[in-house]
Amino acid sequence: GAGVSQTPSNKVTEKGKYVELRCDPISGHTALYWYRQSLGQGPEFLIYFQGTGAADDSGLPNDRFFAVRPEGSVSTLKIQRTERGDSAVYLCASSLFSKGDTQYFGPGTRLTVL
Amino acid sequence: AQSVTQLGSHVSVSEGALVLLRCNYSSSVPPYLFWYVQYPNQGLQLLLKYTSAATLVKGINGFEAEFKKSETSFHLTKPSAHMSDAAEYFCAVSRSDDKIIFGKGTRLHILP
């Protein structure tokens, strides 16, 4: 595909459950970013990957949140023991390298925790 | 620490009128500055970015923004609004460490 894709587009889960959100970056992009956008707010940075490694995970709110990118392409954001406050749109972006390269965003996954 | 402040969570302009969306930033080092647009149920799309070259940056869809260091501003303008410009606009700042800090957004309404 030409752009960043994210699946699922919508996820409804119950409090306490585990969820996985997937991001497929643009082919060849080495940098990948996760953001969270709560209602009425701008996106907030969660984590940044350069290749397979997390170069900056300072935005992850707590240890219930974890992300991987084992082969340097697809990434999965994992949330354990979900809470109602985790409800938000989770955005993924990728860029060719880093250091000011344009970030291209996916359409997001809307997570609703009941 | 870096931050951006967008003045006005909602802005309404008449079709054909000037669009002005305000953004002020705070950064301890020369920043990269961005404007993104988000249409309903779509991802963020980059309108334009400033990376320390020309202070007047031209973007897509007729938008432009001017970096004013003395005012720490990066306001977005378009001479003539079109109905299709109705969307949410985000100003953002980053440094060379890649993390982008977004403002809270301004929803632009176009009046017929």
Side-chain angles (χ1 to χ4, degrees), chain B residues 21-76:
Chain B
L21 303 183
R22 298 178 187 273
C23 173
N24 288 89
Y25 71 91
S26 171
S27 178
S28 58
V29 297
Y32 295 159
L33 292 161
F34 309 82
W35 276 99
Y36 281 86
V37 61
Q38 188 174 36
Y39 298 102
N41 300 316
Q42 294 188 28
L44 291 160
Q45 181 181 7
L46 181 67
L47 277 178
L48 50 83
K49 69 177 180 179
Y50 166 78
T51 57
S52 77
T55 57
L56 182 62
V57 183
K58 293 188 183 298
I60 62 171
N61 301 338
F63 284 93
E64 63 181 37
E66 186 172 7
F67 172 69
K68 292 187 176 180
K69 185 178 178 181
S70 61
E71 299 177 7
T72 60
S73 69
F74 191 59
H75 301 331
L76 181 71

Side-chain angles (χ1 to χ4, degrees), chain A residues 64-101:
Chain A
R64 294 187 298 105
F65 288 74
F66 189 71
V68 296
R69 195 185 184 201
E71 297 178 358
S73 178
V74 170
S75 176
T76 304
L77 178 66
K78 309 180 180 191
I79 311 174
Q80 299 177 321
R81 305 183 304 280
T82 52
E83 300 177 357
R84 293 195 179 88
D86 299 334
S87 296
V89 176
Y90 289 81
L91 298 169
C92 176
S94 69
S95 66
L96 187 58
F97 295 112
S98 63
K99 304 293 185 186
D101 287 337

